[in-house]
Amino acid sequence: MEIGFIGLGSMGYPMAENLLKAGHALAIWNRSREKGEGLASQGARQAGRPADAVSADGVAITMVADDAALESVVLGPDGILEKLGPGGVHVSMSTISPALSARLAELHRARGSHYVAAPVFGRPDAAAAKMLFVLCAGPAAACERVRPALEAMGQKVFPLGEEPVHANIIKLGGNFMIMSVIEAMAEAMTLGEKHGVPREKTMEVLTQSIFPAPLFVNYGKQIAAHAYRPARFKLSLGLKDANLVLGAAARAQVPMPLAALMQGRYLAAVAKGRADLDWTAAALNVAEDAGLDPGDGH
Amino acid sequence: MEIGFIGLGSMGYPMAENLLKAGHALAIWNRSREKGEGLASQGARQAGRPADAVSADGVAITMVADDAALESVVLGPDGILEKLGPGGVHVSMSTISPALSARLAELHRARGSHYVAAPVFGRPDAAAAKMLFVLCAGPAAACERVRPALEAMGQKVFPLGEEPVHANIIKLGGNFMIMSVIEAMAEAMTLGEKHGVPREKTMEVLTQSIFPAPLFVNYGKQIAAHAYRPARFKLSLGLKDANLVLGAAARAQVPMPLAALMQGRYLAAVAKGRADLDWTAAALNVAEDAGLDPGDGH
């Protein structure tokens, strides 16, 4: 049976391509149809509207930019919700608010379809290399049914129980921790720089000792060199995620001063015209606050 | 020639023991003499005062609690500064202020002796297992002379040039980054907890995906379980280091809002009577702010 794949952006496209490579039949839909041409030439069927990409009792995967885009492709007049019907499964892989996730789970439940939250860790290059980490929470039978598809898109799938929101919360927690690490690295490097220690040297020592993880090595290099183009994950998306974290924190009454600090950093960066740089460019705030000129007209 | 080793606390003792095991002759001094008895039984010579542990033109290693303790054993009436004399090397391994490091470097230089800053990453168990990461900055010939001793105490030595302060700054930057990670993990886990995600589950997913470093695994386990006894690194020392970071930041004019946040966290934890818990207990602030009772009367 065809899988419906909605959203062919920088993440969705390579994910869908890996599904095709693994032998899954795909129907695809994207707001701008031309984004799907490469996949169509590999055998995917282009649908005219989201609902036409999915079949009753089928599986629909969504990977779109934000809450509004997801509401549109699910709940809008051409949306998938009514089409899926009893037995259908909606695998929601976008980074969205836990509130919307809970709402969609309820709407699906009322129609006899199933909602699975399956957000991912990894940037577009990881998606292309099938190296994503995929979280998965939802009704057990639905998770089991879509597991082969999830495994075709990532290196590891984490089963996280029956409650979709749990996957969204862990995803937001992870993105929040990355933001925090960006700020921490930026402050440590700037402290070093103003004491005469080259930024690269600070990160070299720390990544070869207490922080050997690839994330520190890769993000550290970008921040050390102030190399924020091209964006691997846009700063505007970092702000979106910071807002999602604070929204989830407000709903559950969890004061998160570090998350609030990071929301301010991303807001400042967007205000300074940096929405399209990589989200590590939040480090520029630290350098500028210290009176440094990071150069090259960011 | 004997190496003089000053300071036999939870770090200094196992470090000195590893020097003995590697075949170095040691003279030792500690404020409370009985701390040295175990080493004396292994052949170390107990000195009556710091100056008596070192010989003119010799090598002295200091590993003490803070700036005041170091000033006392170096500059005090029984201190090592005047004894070392031309050609002597002072290897200063404590976590101290860059300001004191610069001052001691200058005082040694004026006497023809050499000051090497060699702070370490690692807790007492890492010191015992010879798994410390040792930073090293100072005059090249002096660093070269003491390298075998440093290698006998750690798994890796990072040569960081001629300026001692650079090693201190990178060390403080690393400790600051650990503090930041503690706060980030605590906020992410508490966000999860109040949405129904077990604290352990949040860390399990994150450490098996984007944060696979041992530091995240080990600290994450402590924070998830609110297990802060016994202290592997005392919270009071975390506050000390936060103060050192902010002092260094003030001297160099580097606004560090995340460091300031952490200083507040450690100050609050000490104010609540938690100075002797492990420094990961800063996570209790996050849980308490969210209205949770972390239990067991911390």
Side-chain angles (χ1 to χ4, degrees):
Chain A
M1 190 189 276
E2 268 182 354
I3 294 174
F5 199 106
I6 314 284
L8 304 171
S10 59
M11 291 296 291
Y13 188 97
M15 291 163 68
E17 193 163 38
N18 280 328
L19 284 172
L20 282 175
K21 283 181 187 163
H24 294 276
L26 277 198
I28 56 176
W29 183 87
N30 192 69
R31 196 177 42 181
S32 52
R33 184 182 173 90
E34 63 274 18
K35 284 268 187 72
E37 286 167 7
L39 296 172
S41 72
Q42 295 172 61
R45 175 176 67 82
Q46 290 238 51
R49 44 185 212 127
D52 295 337
V54 304
S55 40
D57 192 30
V59 171
I61 296 175
T62 53
M63 188 62 177
V64 297
D66 53 25
D67 278 28
L70 185 60
E71 288 187 52
S72 164
V73 300
V74 178
L75 308 177
D78 298 326
I80 63 172
L81 179 66
E82 300 301 342
K83 183 73 174 290
L84 267 181
V89 181
H90 173 194
V91 185
S92 177
M93 303 188 77
S94 319
T95 301
I96 56 161
S97 71
L100 177 58
S101 193
R103 185 170 148 233
L104 291 180
E106 185 51 42
L107 287 168
H108 278 288
R109 202 177 294 127
R111 283 155 184 80
S113 50
H114 307 292
Y115 181 77
V116 172
V120 301
F121 287 118
R123 296 185 284 188
D125 52 347
K130 222 191 99 171
M131 293 295 284
L132 296 174
F133 295 102
V134 184
L135 313 188
C136 185
C143 288
E144 190 54 31
R145 177 175 172 193
V146 302
R147 195 161 53 84
L150 297 181
E151 286 173 348
M153 292 184 282
Q155 62 173 294
K156 187 174 165 92
V157 177
F158 293 88
L160 296 170
E162 301 255 341
E163 193 53 66
V165 164
H166 289 190
N168 301 104
I169 285 291
I170 295 176
K171 164 63 181 167
L172 288 180
N175 276 24
F176 155 66
M177 282 184 56
I178 300 174
M179 288 177 211
S180 306
V181 163
I182 290 171
E183 174 74 16
M185 289 195 288
E187 292 189 17
M189 278 189 246
T190 304
L191 179 69
E193 182 177 358
K194 291 200 76 175
H195 281 89
V197 183
R199 296 169 69 86
E200 293 75 10
K201 179 56 72 177
T202 296
M203 283 321 296
E204 180 190 316
V205 173
L206 296 179
T207 56
Q208 289 178 23
S209 56
I210 50 178
F211 293 109
L215 188 142
F216 286 83
V217 175
N218 298 332
Y219 279 72
K221 276 184 191 155
Q222 288 183 259
I223 296 169
H226 288 308
Y228 308 119
R229 290 192 181 88
R232 297 179 67 201
F233 184 73
K234 277 191 187 179
L235 199 144
S236 55
L237 295 173
L239 175 59
K240 179 199 95 169
D241 288 355
N243 286 329
L244 290 177
V245 170
L246 289 184
R251 270 164 51 97
Q253 298 180 343
V254 181
M256 294 179 70
L258 180 42
L261 169 63
M262 292 318 300
Q263 198 259 4
R265 286 302 205 192
Y266 281 103
L267 211 43
V270 168
K272 292 175 186 176
R274 292 173 179 149
D276 290 333
L277 297 189
D278 191 75
W279 72 329
T280 45
L284 289 169
N285 292 310
V286 180
E288 288 165 346
D289 283 355
L292 296 171
D293 176 5
D296 109 331
H298 292 289
Chain B
M1 187 189 279
E2 270 181 354
I3 294 174
F5 200 107
I6 315 286
L8 304 171
S10 59
M11 291 295 291
Y13 188 97
M15 290 163 69
E17 194 163 37
N18 279 328
L19 284 172
L20 282 174
K21 284 182 187 162
H24 294 277
L26 279 198
I28 56 177
W29 183 87
N30 192 68
R31 197 176 40 180
S32 53
R33 184 182 172 92
E34 63 274 18
K35 285 269 188 71
E37 285 166 8
L39 297 172
S41 73
Q42 296 172 60
R45 175 176 68 82
Q46 289 239 52
R49 43 183 214 130
D52 294 338
V54 304
S55 41
D57 192 28
V59 171
I61 296 175
T62 54
M63 189 62 177
V64 297
D66 54 23
D67 277 28
L70 185 60
E71 288 187 52
S72 164
V73 299
V74 178
L75 308 177
D78 298 325
I80 62 173
L81 178 68
E82 301 300 342
K83 184 72 174 291
L84 267 181
V89 180
H90 173 193
V91 185
S92 177
M93 303 188 76
S94 320
T95 300
I96 56 160
S97 71
L100 178 58
S101 192
R103 184 170 148 233
L104 291 179
E106 185 50 41
L107 288 168
H108 277 289
R109 201 176 295 124
R111 283 155 184 79
S113 51
H114 307 292
Y115 180 77
V116 171
V120 301
F121 287 117
R123 296 184 285 188
D125 52 346
K130 223 193 97 171
M131 292 295 283
L132 296 175
F133 295 101
V134 184
L135 314 188
C136 185
C143 287
E144 190 54 30
R145 180 176 171 191
V146 302
R147 194 162 53 84
L150 298 181
E151 286 172 350
M153 292 184 282
Q155 62 172 296
K156 186 176 167 92
V157 177
F158 291 89
L160 295 169
E162 300 256 340
E163 192 55 65
V165 164
H166 290 189
N168 302 103
I169 286 290
I170 294 175
K171 165 64 180 164
L172 289 180
N175 276 25
F176 155 67
M177 281 184 56
I178 300 174
M179 289 176 211
S180 306
V181 163
I182 290 171
E183 173 74 16
M185 288 194 289
E187 292 189 16
M189 278 189 246
T190 304
L191 178 69
E193 182 177 358
K194 290 199 78 175
H195 281 89
V197 182
R199 297 168 68 85
E200 294 74 13
K201 180 54 74 177
T202 297
M203 283 322 295
E204 181 190 315
V205 173
L206 296 179
T207 56
Q208 289 178 23
S209 56
I210 51 178
F211 293 109
L215 188 142
F216 287 83
V217 175
N218 298 331
Y219 280 72
K221 276 184 192 155
Q222 288 182 257
I223 296 168
H226 287 308
Y228 307 120
R229 290 190 182 88
R232 298 179 68 199
F233 183 73
K234 278 190 186 178
L235 199 143
S236 56
L237 295 173
L239 176 57
K240 180 199 96 169
D241 288 355
N243 286 329
L244 290 177
V245 170
L246 289 184
R251 272 165 48 97
Q253 299 180 342
V254 181
M256 293 178 70
L258 180 42
L261 169 64
M262 292 318 301
Q263 197 259 5
R265 286 301 205 193
Y266 282 102
L267 211 44
V270 168
K272 293 175 187 176
R274 294 174 178 149
D276 291 332
L277 297 188
D278 192 76
W279 72 329
T280 44
L284 289 169
N285 292 311
V286 179
E288 288 164 347
D289 283 354
L292 297 171
D293 177 4
D296 109 332
H298 292 289

